[in-house]
């Protein structure tokens, strides 16, 4: 009799208690002969401590055995049948696989088209949602965040900042950083950071296999939360994602044990491959997965941003440490337990692999894991069908087994087609044609229609998501499919040679200088330690070079504005090597304005001064303003609701509806319009005004973007926005009232030519991948040291 849908009583009991304490701790608490949670069988010794995860939970009947004896017998019988057919009916031996592959293509194409339609219908009606702030903070449950790390020291400072940004009560949050015992790089990098009390480093004991799911099981044993989520080192979840998950879990029946957030990439413009990869992810997470979620379906989970009910996850046996796509395997086991997965209306931004060799390495692991999952769950096909039902069984055959099979046979079918056209009129072409009798020829033609549908869906989804700039790359989809097949064959070979080898994805291609451990050591005080409990809400950075004549009025206006606010605001004036009394002027103001700070430096240009101020900022948000303060200080009120909403970067704009542009000479207006037109054409499509000078950014975004900058002159604004686009930050323009202030030092001809030269330099840097993998890392480190030393001296 089927158990009630809202309980887990039908789940199989875990015969071996989940490891919670180490062996030494367990014996000290329970004694050598103790039994129950946290105790171990007597035959285990201290030497076994690192291996105790190899047989717990999902590992017991999982991918530890790649092919069972029964499957080997079946495979041997198939090979024998092929050999017999080769000698008796060779034509049938060729025709049968072609017929099977053609039918597989057709069924998979029709099925995916239906899933796309169901997914689009689900997206149009809107995902299940609940108000993330409807639950008072004191009623929120403890939430555990698992972050497995291996050789991720380069991400340490940024990772801690992203986890700090989670909008969840810190007294109801625990973050477990799961670090391999011998990973000295990551241990050192995190020890250099000042971790808040709710973040803990967990030592993953030595043992095999060395995989992400094994580390997650260690984290699951240490987690105290009611819910748990998995994030990768480079992830950027939306700040309110945990609140949304809690609200949805409370609104849904207990049979829904997992919520999968959507994934996409913040560096989608980095290369042609990241653009194609972004379209692939958009199709998967915006159309296919929404069409698969619900009752009696199998959902191949993503490897990150899946939220679980902890009690159900533990009873399911956690993750299979031998499966290199533990997420897909867990999705099947959830369905076999008659539980459900739904999509979470939230996005986590990841880093896309930007180069083909690393991409193939990642894709090969995914396909290898799909093959592992298929072999594991098809050991008893009748049992699987009985447990999940016909529809979910079909899901599994097509989305798990079929997807891997099609990628493997694609090169064979493509080669057959190309050979036919090249050898037309020969006996070879006649032989190939004979493999497609009428009953197969027309279904094969319909398969071409399926390819067109998929290309159309790629084009549709990128336009619907607002990625219009990716639309022209949709026609390059076949090149991406070729690369996927290469990854599939590499994965198959890896499965045969070393089934449990984890081909780790190398992250950090979009981090540039952050890949240096030395960098994180130099600026850790600026990046992390400065955020004290009494830190200001907003830092306003003002670059100044010989501004003694305009700065007094600006400071007077700003002082009046700041002093009338309840919010804590600091103002940082960065002197860029002035020799006209600017420094003395600011110091006089500092005597009776504690919120004002001064940083002195050599003359480097406006971009260099802004970078110095950003690195020394204490506020949660960072605003940039020109020394002439041509925008009334009260206009800052326009920014807060914008930046606190869905955007990372807000620009003051004189070109959007609602803006005012007063008193500007015609030649300055013309220069501005021409420059912005060229900037849009070359680098920042869609942004109307790059040169207003008033910008507001989230602090972590500002730190990240300034790390990449190379331009220190007037063109730094465009470079910052171009990098923001490459990195996937969300940018908006805010209309402001802007008044021209006389006294500008911009030369109409000299500076215009210099700014155009800087635009070309930014374009060349982008083509060369400078903003993806900074070749001049030492230069970035020098800039970081300079900013750090200036902040400390201040």
């Amino acid at each position: 009799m089927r158990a009630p849908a809202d309980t887990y009583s039908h789940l199989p009991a875990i015969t071996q208690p989940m490891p919670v304490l180490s062996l030494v701790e367990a014996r000290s608490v329970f004694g050598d002969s103790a039994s129950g949670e946290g105790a171990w069988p007597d035959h285990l010794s201290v030497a076994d401590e690192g291996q105790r995860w190899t047989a717990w939970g999902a590992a017991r009947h999982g991918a530890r055995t790649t092919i069972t004896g029964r499957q080997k017998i079946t495979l041997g019988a198939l090979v024998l049948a092929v050999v017999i057919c080769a000698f008796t009916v060779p034509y049938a031996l060729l025709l049968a696989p072609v017929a099977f592959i053609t039918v597989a293509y057709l069924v998979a194409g029709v099925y995916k088209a239906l899933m796309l339609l169901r997914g689009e219908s689900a997206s149009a009606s809107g995902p299940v949602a609940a108000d993330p702030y409807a639950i008072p903070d004191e009623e929120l449950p403890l939430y555990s965040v698992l972050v497995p790390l291996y050789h991720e020291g380069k991400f340490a400072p940024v990772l801690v900042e992203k986890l700090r940004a989670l909008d969840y009560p810190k007294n109801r949050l625990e973050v477990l950083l799961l670090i391999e015992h011998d990973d000295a790089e990551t241990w050192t990098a995190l020890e250099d950071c000042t971790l808040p009390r709710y973040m803990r480093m967990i030592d993953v004991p030595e043992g095999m296999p060395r995989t992400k799911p094994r580390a997650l099981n260690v984290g699951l044993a240490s987690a105290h939360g009611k819910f748990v989520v998995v994030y990768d080192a480079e992830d950027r979840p939306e700040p309110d994602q945990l609140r949304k998950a809690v609200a949805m879990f409370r609104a849904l029946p207990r049979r829904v044990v997992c919520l999968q957030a959507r994934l996409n990439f913040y560096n989608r413009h980095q290369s042609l491959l990241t653009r194609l990869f972004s379209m692939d992810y958009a199709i998967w997470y915006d159309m296919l997965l929404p069409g698969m979620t619900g009752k009696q379906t199998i959902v191949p989970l993503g490897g990150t941003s899946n939220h679980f009910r902890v009690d159900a996850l533990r009873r399911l046996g956690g993750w299979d440490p031998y499966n290199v796509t533990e997420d897909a395997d867990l999705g099947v086991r959830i369905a076999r337990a008659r539980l459900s997965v739904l999509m979470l209306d939230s996005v986590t931004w990841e880093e896309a692999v930007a180069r083909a060799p690393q991409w193939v390495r990642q894709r090969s692991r995914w396909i290898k894991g799909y093959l592992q999952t298929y072999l594991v769950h098809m050991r008893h096909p009748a049992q699987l069908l009985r447990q999940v039902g016909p529809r979910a069984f079909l899901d599994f055959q097509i989305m798990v087994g079929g997807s891997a099979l099609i990628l493997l046979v694609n090169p064979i079918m493509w080669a057959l087609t190309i050979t036919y056209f090249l050898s037309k009129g020969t006996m070879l072409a006649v032989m190939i044609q004979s493999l497609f009798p009428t009953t197969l020829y027309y279904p094969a033609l319909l398969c071409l229609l399926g390819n067109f549908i998929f290309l159309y869906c790629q084009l549709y989804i990128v336009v619907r998501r607002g990625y219009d700039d990716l639309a022209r790359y949709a026609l390059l989809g076949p090149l991406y499919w070729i690369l996927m097949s290469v990854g599939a064959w590499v994965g198959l070979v890896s499965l045969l040679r070393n089934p449990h080898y984890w081909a780790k994805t190398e992250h950090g291609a979009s981090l540039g200088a952050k890949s240096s451990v030395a960098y994180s050591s130099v600026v850790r005080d600026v990046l992390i330690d400065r955020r004290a409990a009494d830190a200001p809400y907003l830092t306003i950075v003002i670059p100044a070079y010989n501004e003694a004549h305009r700065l007094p009025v600006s400071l007077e206006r700003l002082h009046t504005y700041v002093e009338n606010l309840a919010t804590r605001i600091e103002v940082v004036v960065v002197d860029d090597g002035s020799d006209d009394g600017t420094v003395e002027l600011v110091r006089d103001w500092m005597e009776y304005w504690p919120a004002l700070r001064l940083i002195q430096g050599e003359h480097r240009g406006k971009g260099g001064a802004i970078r110095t101020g950003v690195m020394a900022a204490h506020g949660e948000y960072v605003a940039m303003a020109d020394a002439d303060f041509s925008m009334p200080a009260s206009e800052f009120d326009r920014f807060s609701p914008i930046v606190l909403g869905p955007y990372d970067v807000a620009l003051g704009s004189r070109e959007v509806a609602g803006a005012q542009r007063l008193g500007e000479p015609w030649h300055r207006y013309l220069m501005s319009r021409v420059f912005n037109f060229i900037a849009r054409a070359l680098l920042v499509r869609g942004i109307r005004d790059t040169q207003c000078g008033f910008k507001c950014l989230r602090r972590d975004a500002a730190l990240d973007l300034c790390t990449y900058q190379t331009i220190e002159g007037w063109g730094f604004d465009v470079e910052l926005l171009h990098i923001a686009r490459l990195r996937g930050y969300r940018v908006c323009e805010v209309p402001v009232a802007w008044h021209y202030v006389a006294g500008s030092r911009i030369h109409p001809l000299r500076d215009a030519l210099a700014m155009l030269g800087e635009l070309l330099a930014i374009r060349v840097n982008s083509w060369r991948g400078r903003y993806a993998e900074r070749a001049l890392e030492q230069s970035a480190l020098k800039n970081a040291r300079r900013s750090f030393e200036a902040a400390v001296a201040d």
Side-chain angles (χ1 to χ4, degrees), residues 480-500:
Y480 187 74
W481 300 343
I482 293 173
L483 207 56
M484 290 173 69
S485 289
V486 172
W489 277 98
V490 173
L492 177 61
V493 172
S494 179
L495 178 67
L496 297 175
R497 295 181 60 184
N498 193 352
H500 305 134

Side-chain angles (χ1 to χ4, degrees), residues 8 36 79 122 126 132 262 318 325 357 360 370 388-389 396 430 456 475 488 509 524 565 715 741:
Y8 308 137
V79 171
R262 299 194 308 276
T325 52
V360 168
Y370 268 44
V388 302
F396 181 71
V430 173
Y456 174 80
L475 295 178
R524 65 179 184 274
L565 292 177
V741 178

Side-chain angles (χ1 to χ4, degrees), residues 264-499:
N264 217 302
F265 301 121
Y266 49 70
N267 62 324
R268 62 179 179 273
H269 298 101
Q270 186 173 341
S271 68
L272 173 61
L273 184 56
T274 59
R275 291 177 169 92
L276 295 174
F277 204 176
S278 296
M279 287 188 281
D280 185 18
Y281 254 39
I283 285 280
W284 181 254
Y285 284 101
D286 280 28
M287 296 186 75
L288 279 175
L289 274 192
M292 297 174 65
T293 54
K295 297 180 180 179
Q296 297 181 337
T297 57
I298 287 177
V299 181
L301 299 174
T304 179
S305 300
N306 28 47
H307 301 250
F308 300 96
R309 299 183 192 269
V310 169
D311 51 353
L313 181 58
R314 283 176 172 159
R315 297 196 65 173
L316 285 166
W319 294 269
D320 181 357
Y322 292 94
N323 194 313
V324 296
T325 52
E326 76 294 338
D327 36 25
D329 170 75
L330 181 54
V332 179
R333 285 190 287 114
I334 288 174
R336 297 188 75 159
R338 301 193 300 277
L339 301 173
S340 300
V341 176
L342 288 180
M343 296 298 294
L344 177 64
D345 186 21
S346 182
V347 178
T348 294
W349 299 94
E350 294 190 310
E351 181 191 53
V353 179
R355 306 200 180 280
Q358 292 79 14
W359 186 94
V360 168
R361 179 181 174 88
Q362 182 188 68
R363 183 65 60 156
S364 71
R365 174 168 56 81
W366 293 356
I367 301 302
K368 173 182 172 180
Y370 268 44
L371 292 171
Q372 282 182 313
T373 302
Y374 189 79
L375 289 171
V376 166
H377 293 281
M378 284 296 288
R379 290 170 181 171
H380 304 286
Q383 183 185 66
L384 177 65
L385 175 61
R386 184 171 62 254
Q387 288 177 342
V388 302
R391 176 187 160 184
F393 187 80
L394 181 63
D395 289 343
F396 181 71
Q397 300 303 317
I398 295 177
M399 299 306 294
V400 179
S403 295
L405 173 66
I406 287 173
L407 290 176
L408 289 170
V409 301
N410 272 343
I412 300 173
M413 302 304 290
W414 294 334
L416 203 62
T417 303
I418 294 171
T419 302
Y420 170 75
F421 283 106
L422 292 179
S423 62
K424 206 165 186 180
T426 67
M427 288 298 297
L428 180 59
V430 173
M431 186 187 74
I432 294 174
Q433 188 173 349
S434 69
L435 298 177
F436 291 90
T438 304
T439 52
L440 289 181
Y441 178 73
Y442 290 105
L445 287 181
L446 288 176
C447 293
L448 295 177
L449 178 62
N451 290 336
F452 169 77
I453 291 174
F454 215 74
L455 286 174
Y456 174 80
C457 287
Q458 281 187 319
L459 182 62
Y460 168 76
I461 196 66
V462 296
V463 172
R464 196 188 74 179
R465 288 201 63 160
Y467 300 164
D468 296 19
D469 55 312
L470 297 184
R472 63 180 182 273
Y473 297 98
L475 295 178
L476 298 178
L479 298 178
Y480 187 74
W481 300 343
I482 293 173
L483 207 56
M484 290 173 69
S485 289
V486 172
W489 277 98
V490 173
L492 177 61
V493 172
S494 179
L495 178 67
L496 297 175
R497 295 181 60 184
N498 193 352

Side-chain angles (χ1 to χ4, degrees), residues 137 140-147 160-176 196-200 222-229 231 237 239 241-243 246 307:
D137 286 3
L140 289 172
L142 181 64
Y143 217 116
S144 298
V145 178
L146 305 184
V147 187
V160 174
E161 283 290 292
K162 296 300 177 187
L163 295 174
R164 285 177 183 267
L166 291 174
D167 182 11
Y168 202 83
K170 301 305 185 270
N171 62 338
R172 298 177 183 275
L173 178 67
E174 70 168 357
V175 177
L176 305 181
R197 293 183 61 184
Y198 58 88
M199 292 188 194
R200 289 189 289 141
S222 303
H224 298 94
K226 182 177 181 180
F227 303 108
V228 66
V229 62
Y231 290 134
Q241 189 172 112
L242 302 187
R243 289 180 178 270
V246 171
H307 301 250

Side-chain angles (χ1 to χ4, degrees), residues 120-136:
E120 174 61 15
S121 176
S123 299
S125 60
V128 178
D131 183 2
Y133 294 96
I135 304 173

